[in-house]
Amino acid sequence: MKGLLLKDWYAFKSYCRATLFIVILFAIIGGIVEENFFFVFYPCIFAGISTMNLLAYEERDKWEQYAATLPYTKGQMVSSKYIVSLCLGGAIVLINGIIQLICMIFLNTYDIDKLLPLLFALIPLTLLPAAFLLPFVFRFGVNKGRIAYYIVIVIFCGAIGALLSNEVIDLSDKVSLLLPYVNVIVFVATVIIYALSWGLSIHFYKNREI
């Protein structure tokens, strides 16, 4: 498993370096431009599907056929991608949190009651795209899984648009006392969905002929 994770790390550094730059740049803009969370949310979705990009490069390079000769199980190969997605999601939330905190301090707008809900909102945005995409990819392959890729992009971009609309913002103001509970419920639901997706991907990949 350690070897698979190292391979994914080297592949990410080679193919997805622009992702980190985009996350940092958008996080800075989101910290400076108040009440405009698009610049914070969108890179999380973009980075959340980076695991699929790694799988696309592996399919292009015939990695699956080569990996079949190595002492790794299909379950380990699937798990490595989910672990990478978790690490990437955690790094994105951490980077955003640090940059938002620096911007708040610099602009004298520090408010922990705004920062913590924002960070909680980033967790599902970084994990759910991969959770919905990866079972399709491990079941049908990257090319056919691209259909799910576009569907997920449309759904999550639409969700962000709804969250940033005046109607939803006005509603959230009325139920602000319930927001901590909503965050906890969404976080628990995200963990459950991610775990179910993990198990489903292992099941699909074990029954798929390479």
Side-chain angles (χ1 to χ4, degrees), residues 47-84:
I49 59 177
S50 293
T51 309
M52 181 175 175
N53 295 332
L54 293 178
L55 286 166
Y57 287 117
E58 288 182 358
E59 187 171 285
R60 182 199 66 182
D61 297 333
K62 307 298 182 182
W63 159 254
E64 291 179 319
Q65 289 78 1
Y66 175 71
T69 65
L70 301 176
Y72 295 118
T73 65
K74 288 187 174 181
Q76 289 175 323
M77 293 174 65
V78 171
S79 295
S80 69
K81 293 299 181 292
Y82 277 84
I83 293 173
V84 166

XYZ file of all heavy atoms in Angstrom, residues 47-84:
305
model
N -10.451 20.259 -7.211
C -9.449 19.380 -6.616
C -10.048 18.037 -6.208
O -9.368 17.011 -6.218
C -8.816 20.061 -5.403
N -11.359 18.055 -5.874
C -12.007 16.827 -5.455
C -12.087 15.778 -6.549
O -12.225 14.585 -6.269
N -11.997 16.220 -7.812
C -12.049 15.272 -8.935
C -10.656 14.993 -9.499
O -10.525 14.349 -10.540
C -12.965 15.801 -10.045
C -12.482 17.151 -10.562
C -14.410 15.891 -9.563
C -13.297 17.701 -11.703
N -9.620 15.481 -8.814
C -8.255 15.247 -9.296
C -7.892 13.765 -9.294
O -7.065 13.322 -10.091
C -7.254 16.028 -8.437
O -7.412 17.416 -8.610
N -8.522 13.005 -8.391
C -8.257 11.566 -8.352
C -8.640 10.909 -9.669
O -7.973 9.986 -10.133
C -9.039 10.914 -7.198
O -8.797 11.629 -5.997
C -8.596 9.467 -7.014
N -9.715 11.407 -10.285
C -10.122 10.860 -11.581
C -9.072 11.163 -12.629
O -8.831 10.345 -13.530
C -11.472 11.444 -11.989
C -11.980 10.904 -13.322
S -13.626 11.475 -13.734
C -13.791 10.787 -15.387
N -8.449 12.330 -12.536
C -7.388 12.665 -13.485
C -6.220 11.691 -13.364
O -5.624 11.278 -14.365
C -6.909 14.091 -13.248
C -7.981 15.120 -13.544
O -8.853 14.884 -14.358
N -7.926 16.254 -12.873
N -5.891 11.315 -12.116
C -4.827 10.330 -11.913
C -5.199 8.999 -12.558
O -4.361 8.341 -13.183
C -4.571 10.138 -10.417
C -3.973 11.321 -9.648
C -3.826 10.964 -8.167
C -2.620 11.711 -10.228
N -6.457 8.602 -12.407
C -6.905 7.343 -13.006
C -6.868 7.413 -14.527
O -6.578 6.416 -15.195
C -8.324 7.023 -12.527
C -8.432 6.537 -11.080
C -9.877 6.592 -10.607
C -7.893 5.123 -10.953
N -7.150 8.587 -15.083
C -7.101 8.752 -16.533
C -5.680 8.561 -17.054
O -5.455 7.903 -18.081
C -7.627 10.133 -16.925
N -4.698 9.117 -16.337
C -3.301 8.933 -16.739
C -2.882 7.477 -16.588
O -2.132 6.948 -17.427
C -2.400 9.833 -15.899
C -2.488 11.296 -16.254
C -2.949 12.227 -15.336
C -2.103 11.757 -17.515
C -3.035 13.577 -15.657
C -2.188 13.098 -17.842
C -2.652 14.006 -16.911
O -2.738 15.334 -17.240
N -3.359 6.822 -15.554
C -3.024 5.410 -15.359
C -3.600 4.559 -16.486
O -2.941 3.637 -16.975
C -3.553 4.931 -14.002
C -2.778 5.487 -12.812
C -3.302 4.941 -11.506
O -4.283 4.165 -11.529
O -2.738 5.291 -10.451
N -4.829 4.852 -16.881
C -5.448 4.090 -17.969
C -4.700 4.320 -19.279
O -4.512 3.406 -20.066
C -6.921 4.491 -18.106
C -7.695 3.628 -19.092
C -9.186 3.896 -19.051
O -9.830 3.449 -18.085
O -9.692 4.557 -19.975
N -4.272 5.554 -19.498
C -3.516 5.868 -20.714
C -2.193 5.116 -20.754
O -1.757 4.630 -21.810
C -3.259 7.372 -20.783
C -2.526 7.839 -22.023
C -1.916 9.210 -21.822
N -0.852 9.175 -20.818
C -0.179 10.249 -20.419
N -0.482 11.438 -20.896
N 0.786 10.138 -19.502
N -1.546 4.992 -19.592
C -0.234 4.348 -19.509
C -0.322 2.845 -19.263
O 0.705 2.202 -19.016
C 0.591 4.993 -18.390
C 0.886 6.459 -18.665
O 0.925 6.840 -19.846
O 1.085 7.223 -17.688
N -1.537 2.289 -19.301
C -1.749 0.846 -19.109
C -1.264 0.382 -17.736
O -0.736 -0.715 -17.573
C -1.030 0.041 -20.200
C -1.355 0.463 -21.625
C -2.818 0.275 -21.955
C -3.116 0.650 -23.405
N -4.563 0.521 -23.732
N -1.466 1.213 -16.721
C -1.007 0.871 -15.381
C -1.740 -0.350 -14.830
O -1.130 -1.186 -14.143
C -1.196 2.067 -14.445
C -1.239 1.698 -12.991
C -2.322 1.666 -12.174
C -0.126 1.260 -12.186
N -1.975 1.246 -10.917
C -0.626 0.990 -10.897
C 1.235 1.079 -12.437
C 0.189 0.558 -9.860
C 2.043 0.645 -11.398
C 1.530 0.383 -10.125
N -3.036 -0.460 -15.104
C -3.806 -1.562 -14.535
C -3.245 -2.912 -14.956
O -3.166 -3.847 -14.153
C -5.274 -1.451 -14.961
C -6.014 -0.283 -14.332
C -7.439 -0.210 -14.807
O -7.686 -0.424 -16.014
O -8.329 0.068 -13.985
N -2.862 -3.025 -16.236
C -2.311 -4.282 -16.717
C -0.962 -4.581 -16.048
O -0.672 -5.727 -15.698
C -2.142 -4.231 -18.244
C -3.445 -4.257 -19.027
C -4.147 -2.915 -19.055
O -3.655 -1.934 -18.499
N -5.292 -2.857 -19.719
N -0.164 -3.543 -15.866
C 1.128 -3.737 -15.205
C 0.947 -4.069 -13.725
O 1.636 -4.950 -13.191
C 1.973 -2.469 -15.348
C 3.286 -2.511 -14.591
C 4.322 -3.336 -15.010
C 3.464 -1.740 -13.457
C 5.519 -3.389 -14.315
C 4.658 -1.782 -12.749
C 5.680 -2.603 -13.185
O 6.856 -2.650 -12.486
N -0.013 -3.396 -13.078
C -0.240 -3.618 -11.652
C -0.711 -5.039 -11.374
O -0.512 -5.552 -10.266
C -1.258 -2.615 -11.126
N -1.334 -5.680 -12.387
C -1.808 -7.054 -12.199
C -0.661 -8.023 -11.957
O -0.857 -9.115 -11.412
C -2.624 -7.496 -13.414
N 0.556 -7.626 -12.342
C 1.719 -8.489 -12.131
C 2.391 -8.212 -10.784
O 3.345 -8.902 -10.425
C 2.759 -8.273 -13.252
O 3.276 -6.932 -13.165
C 2.125 -8.478 -14.608
N 1.913 -7.208 -10.064
C 2.504 -6.818 -8.786
C 1.705 -7.411 -7.628
O 0.527 -7.756 -7.785
C 2.539 -5.289 -8.666
C 3.330 -4.549 -9.755
C 3.191 -3.038 -9.574
C 4.796 -4.956 -9.725
N 2.315 -7.506 -6.447
C 1.623 -8.116 -5.302
C 0.645 -7.175 -4.610
O 0.704 -6.971 -3.389
C 2.790 -8.486 -4.375
C 3.828 -7.444 -4.651
C 3.724 -7.175 -6.139
N -0.237 -6.567 -5.393
C -1.261 -5.696 -4.834
C -2.633 -6.253 -5.186
O -2.859 -6.712 -6.311
C -1.151 -4.269 -5.392
C 0.117 -3.546 -5.019
C 1.019 -3.133 -6.006
C 0.427 -3.272 -3.690
C 2.183 -2.464 -5.671
C 1.589 -2.601 -3.349
C 2.471 -2.201 -4.341
O 3.617 -1.545 -4.006
N -3.549 -6.187 -4.235
C -4.911 -6.624 -4.504
C -5.694 -5.468 -5.130
O -5.299 -4.304 -5.048
C -5.617 -7.055 -3.212
O -5.768 -5.909 -2.350
C -4.808 -8.124 -2.483
N -6.800 -5.809 -5.759
C -7.648 -4.766 -6.330
C -8.213 -3.862 -5.247
O -8.411 -2.654 -5.456
C -8.774 -5.400 -7.147
C -8.310 -6.021 -8.461
C -9.497 -6.473 -9.301
C -9.043 -6.965 -10.666
N -10.177 -7.398 -11.520
N -8.462 -4.435 -4.086
C -8.949 -3.641 -2.969
C -7.931 -2.595 -2.538
O -8.293 -1.450 -2.231
N -6.659 -2.969 -2.528
C -5.611 -2.013 -2.179
C -5.480 -0.914 -3.224
O -5.249 0.255 -2.888
C -4.282 -2.745 -2.009
C -4.188 -3.614 -0.765
C -2.898 -4.395 -0.712
O -2.384 -4.861 -1.742
N -2.344 -4.547 0.485
N -5.638 -1.277 -4.478
C -5.527 -0.285 -5.546
C -6.658 0.739 -5.468
O -6.447 1.937 -5.693
C -5.521 -0.980 -6.907
C -4.275 -1.831 -7.139
S -4.339 -2.789 -8.674
C -4.340 -1.469 -9.886
N -7.852 0.274 -5.132
C -8.973 1.197 -4.956
C -8.763 2.050 -3.711
O -8.945 3.276 -3.733
C -10.298 0.425 -4.852
C -11.434 1.360 -4.447
C -10.624 -0.255 -6.168
N -8.357 1.409 -2.629
C -8.187 2.126 -1.366
C -7.143 3.229 -1.472
O -7.283 4.290 -0.842
C -7.790 1.145 -0.257
O -8.834 0.218 -0.006
N -6.103 3.007 -2.268
C -5.069 4.034 -2.404
C -5.650 5.316 -2.978
O -5.281 6.424 -2.573
C -3.926 3.523 -3.287
O -4.322 3.385 -4.642
N -6.592 5.189 -3.919
C -7.203 6.378 -4.516
C -8.091 7.112 -3.506
O -8.135 8.350 -3.484
C -8.025 5.985 -5.745
C -7.188 5.463 -6.896
C -6.209 6.531 -7.372
C -5.364 6.069 -8.554
N -4.414 5.006 -8.205
N -8.789 6.368 -2.685
C -9.629 7.008 -1.673
C -8.781 7.672 -0.590
O -9.144 8.742 -0.076
C -10.590 5.985 -1.061
C -11.827 5.770 -1.891
C -11.826 4.886 -2.969
C -12.998 6.476 -1.626
C -12.966 4.696 -3.746
C -14.134 6.294 -2.401
C -14.112 5.401 -3.459
O -15.235 5.234 -4.238
N -7.672 7.061 -0.246
C -6.779 7.671 0.737
C -6.163 8.949 0.172
O -6.054 9.969 0.865
C -5.682 6.678 1.161
C -6.305 5.508 1.930
C -4.627 7.373 2.023
C -5.335 4.393 2.241
N -5.769 8.896 -1.104
C -5.231 10.090 -1.759
C -6.278 11.203 -1.759
O -5.974 12.374 -1.494
C -4.787 9.767 -3.198
C -4.547 11.054 -3.990
C -3.535 8.921 -3.192
